[in-house]
């Protein structure tokens, strides 16, 4: 039975709001650490003697290991809770951020980035677990938009900040500075957060009633129905869609600064702000997509509400990328790529909200599966760019591949139905 709110009871406390702010800070630190290497890449390549192809593999080392450990880390968050999961995740990736500054060549840099990805895997699925337990269902689309917006804004603000730090101190101390921030967050999270709102000493009865009345999950997950997961067509379509959408995202996170310098003739001071434009656009796009989804859902249903922003945004994003490939002016190219990034971002927050709907108590595993495929796309993207530049001498070929996968992602949205929930098939037991 859902808890009822007593109108004469004390006003609800706002611990759930602080929980949201804590996850936003965590994701902001994650992206600050993650995109630092893209701005530092020219300096790293010059000092360590790394080729474009090798740098592409360094970028992809993170995304590959991150992708492969998404489902195990999502399961870990479902099984043991987001408190221990996020503490482990943030402490691990912070150590690897600092260790990036100790790399002495391609092999050591590749190994550190591989370990970085293993450590950071599960940050978003564990956040989904937090939201499923602490927040009303009607706000999830919007709040996933805010969460991913925080990631993109952090990445955008990192660009000029890293330029300043690398110019002043060099790339090695810069990674050590950023690594220290995560340890502060991890210690604070472990001491303050509780997986179950009922166990948090600062949550009063009115806030607890409000959380439970809003449809927050209270049931603990049972055995993961792996066969049902593998056969769920909505989840398969979500995974394929996210592969195409995130493939383009990782160009902005990795190669964009180098593209602006070498293809369009920018200097390092210009790159910091131009490279930030697509990430600022992503921040706006993911928030608007979540807001549109939440606004349309009561009247049109979740299926139509979730797919509408993506079906509008992704085809237009493909057109914008193709336009960027045809211009020589750096500012025009950056604006077109920013438009593409923001338009493609419209479908991101609704996808995460659908994972909670489809996954139920297995939200961590379902979001982990979708994010795994997205980051497999993110793994492929930097490698494709490096190979095209080294072997073909072309920056336009990878841009065309981004546009093509945006169109594929749009088609995948037609097969996503939130009514196709993950249901474990009962196993007959002998009597």
């Amino acid at each position: 039975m859902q808890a009822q709110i007593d109108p004469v009871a004390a006003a609800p406390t706002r611990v759930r709001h602080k929980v949201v702010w804590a996850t936003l800070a965590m994701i902001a630190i994650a992206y600050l650490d993650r995109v630092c290497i893209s701005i530092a890449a020219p300096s790293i390549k010059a000092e360590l003697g790394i080729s474009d192809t090798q740098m592409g593999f360094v970028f992809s080392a993170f995304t590959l290991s991150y992708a492969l450990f998404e489902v195990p880390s999502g399961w870990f968050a479902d099984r043991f809770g987001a408190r221990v999961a996020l503490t482990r995740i943030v402490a691990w990736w912070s150590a690897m951020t600092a260790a990036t500054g100790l790399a002495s060549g391609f092999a050591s840099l590749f190994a550190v980035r591989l370990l970085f990805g293993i450590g950071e895997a599960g940050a978003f699925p564990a956040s989904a677990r937090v939201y499923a337990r602490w927040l009303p269902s009607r706000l999830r689309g919007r709040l996933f938009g805010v969460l991913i917006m925080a990631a993109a804004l952090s990445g955008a603000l990192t660009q000029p900040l890293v330029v300043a730090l690398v110019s002043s101190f060099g790339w090695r101390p810069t990674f050590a500075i950023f690594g220290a921030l995560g340890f502060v967050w991890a210690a604070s999270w472990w001491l303050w957060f509780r997986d179950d709102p009922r166990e948090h000493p600062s949550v009063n009865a009115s806030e607890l009633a409000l959380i439970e009345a809003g449809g927050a999950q209270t049931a603990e997950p049972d055995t993961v129905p792996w066969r049902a997961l593998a056969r769920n067509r909505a989840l398969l379509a979500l995974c394929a869609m996210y592969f195409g959408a995130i493939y383009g995202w990782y160009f902005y996170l990795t190669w964009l600064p180098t593209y602006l310098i070498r293809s369009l003739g920018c200097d390092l001071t210009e790159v910091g702000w131009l490279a930030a434009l697509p990430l600022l656009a992503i921040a706006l796009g993911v928030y608007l997509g979540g807001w549109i989804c939440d606004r349309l859902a009561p009247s049109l249903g979740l299926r139509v509400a979730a797919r509408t922003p993506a079906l509008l945004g992704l085809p237009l994003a493909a057109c914008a990328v193709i336009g960027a490939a045809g211009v020589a002016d750096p500012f025009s190219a950056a604006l077109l790529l920013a438009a593409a990034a923001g338009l493609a971002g419209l479908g991101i927050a609704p996808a995460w909200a659908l994972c909670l709907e489809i996954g139920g108590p297995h939200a961590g595993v379902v979001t982990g599966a979708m994010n795994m495929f997205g980051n497999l796309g993110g793994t492929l993207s930097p490698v494709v760019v490096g190979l095209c530049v080294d072997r073909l001498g072309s920056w336009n070929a990878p841009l065309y591949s981004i546009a093509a996968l945006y169109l594929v992602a749009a088609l995948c949205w037609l097969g996503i139905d939130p009514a196709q929930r993950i249901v474990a098939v009962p196993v007959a037991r002998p009597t």
Side-chain angles (χ1 to χ4, degrees):
M1 180 180 295
Q2 290 185 333
Q4 300 296 318
I5 302 175
D6 183 354
V8 299
T13 48
R14 295 178 176 267
V15 179
R16 65 196 186 283
H17 297 172
K18 295 177 183 178
V19 167
V20 171
W21 280 109
T23 60
L24 295 181
M26 180 271 297
I27 290 297
I29 295 170
Y31 264 67
L32 185 148
D33 291 346
R34 189 186 297 191
V35 305
C36 179
I37 195 169
S38 66
I39 288 290
S43 300
I44 294 172
K45 287 174 74 273
E47 182 173 331
L48 302 184
I50 293 174
S51 70
D52 288 326
T53 299
Q54 287 177 316
M55 200 67 208
F57 280 110
V58 167
F59 286 145
S60 291
F62 167 85
T63 47
L64 177 62
S65 58
Y66 181 86
L68 295 179
F69 280 82
E70 275 290 275
V71 172
S73 295
W75 169 85
F76 185 91
D78 282 341
R79 179 66 180 82
F80 298 103
R83 184 187 182 209
V84 64
L86 285 174
T87 302
R88 190 275 304 169
I89 287 167
V90 177
W92 185 323
W93 96 48
S94 299
M96 291 303 103
T97 298
T100 302
L102 302 177
S104 58
F106 169 70
S108 58
L109 184 61
F110 183 88
V112 168
R113 300 305 290 184
L114 203 66
L115 291 170
F116 193 134
I118 293 172
E120 190 171 320
F124 279 101
S127 298
R129 185 69 183 157
V130 172
Y131 288 3
R133 294 298 298 271
W134 276 83
L135 300 174
S137 58
R138 63 182 174 83
L139 297 176
R140 289 173 189 164
R142 199 174 317 171
L143 286 170
F144 271 116
V146 172
L147 182 71
I148 302 169
M149 180 180 72
L153 283 175
S154 176
L157 295 174
T158 295
Q159 310 283 349
L161 176 61
V162 175
V163 168
L165 290 174
V166 170
S167 299
S168 299
F169 305 109
W171 63 273
R172 295 182 186 275
T174 299
F175 282 99
I177 292 168
F178 286 163
L181 294 176
F183 287 110
V184 175
W185 188 95
S188 302
W189 179 258
W190 175 258
L191 293 172
W192 177 77
F193 180 72
R194 297 295 182 270
D195 291 302
D196 190 335
R198 292 170 292 191
E199 297 177 0
H200 200 291
S202 299
V203 174
N204 68 6
S206 296
E207 182 174 24
L208 182 60
L210 188 151
I211 291 171
E212 293 180 353
Q217 294 175 11
T218 56
E220 295 296 329
D222 52 11
T223 302
V224 178
W226 296 108
R227 182 174 295 182
L229 282 167
R231 293 179 176 179
N232 186 279
R233 286 182 292 180
L235 178 57
L236 294 176
L238 265 174
C239 291
M241 177 280 299
Y242 216 60
F243 181 99
I246 300 303
Y247 177 91
W249 190 318
Y250 268 86
F251 174 77
Y252 313 126
L253 289 178
T254 56
W255 280 109
L256 180 58
T258 304
Y259 166 71
L260 293 171
I261 291 172
R262 291 174 49 187
S263 179
L264 300 179
C266 297
D267 61 37
L268 188 59
T269 56
E270 295 174 314
V271 162
W273 294 106
L274 290 178
L277 291 177
L279 295 173
L280 291 171
I282 288 173
L284 178 61
V286 293
Y287 177 78
L288 284 177
W291 181 83
I292 292 169
C293 178
D294 285 346
R295 293 282 292 183
L296 295 180
S299 58
L300 300 179
L302 186 56
R303 182 180 183 181
V304 174
R307 66 170 56 171
T308 297
L311 290 177
L312 291 173
L314 285 165
L316 292 174
C319 294
V321 172
I322 293 171
V327 300
D329 175 59
F331 186 69
S332 298
L335 284 179
L336 285 167
L337 290 174
L343 289 164
L346 289 172
I348 299 299
W352 283 85
L354 289 183
C355 285
L356 269 63
E357 190 73 19
I358 293 169
H362 304 291
V365 172
V366 170
T367 53
M370 184 187 76
N371 210 27
M372 177 185 74
F373 276 87
N375 282 277
L376 288 175
T379 300
L380 181 63
S381 177
V383 173
V384 169
V385 176
L387 289 173
C388 285
V389 173
D390 264 354
R391 305 290 175 83
L392 304 178
S394 172
W395 285 96
N396 283 346
L399 291 179
Y400 293 141
S401 72
I402 292 170
L405 283 171
Y406 278 161
L407 294 175
V408 171
L411 291 174
C412 290
W413 268 102
L414 299 176
I416 299 171
D417 183 359
Q420 297 176 8
R421 295 179 175 86
I422 303 297
V423 179
V425 178
V427 178
R429 297 181 182 274
T431 57

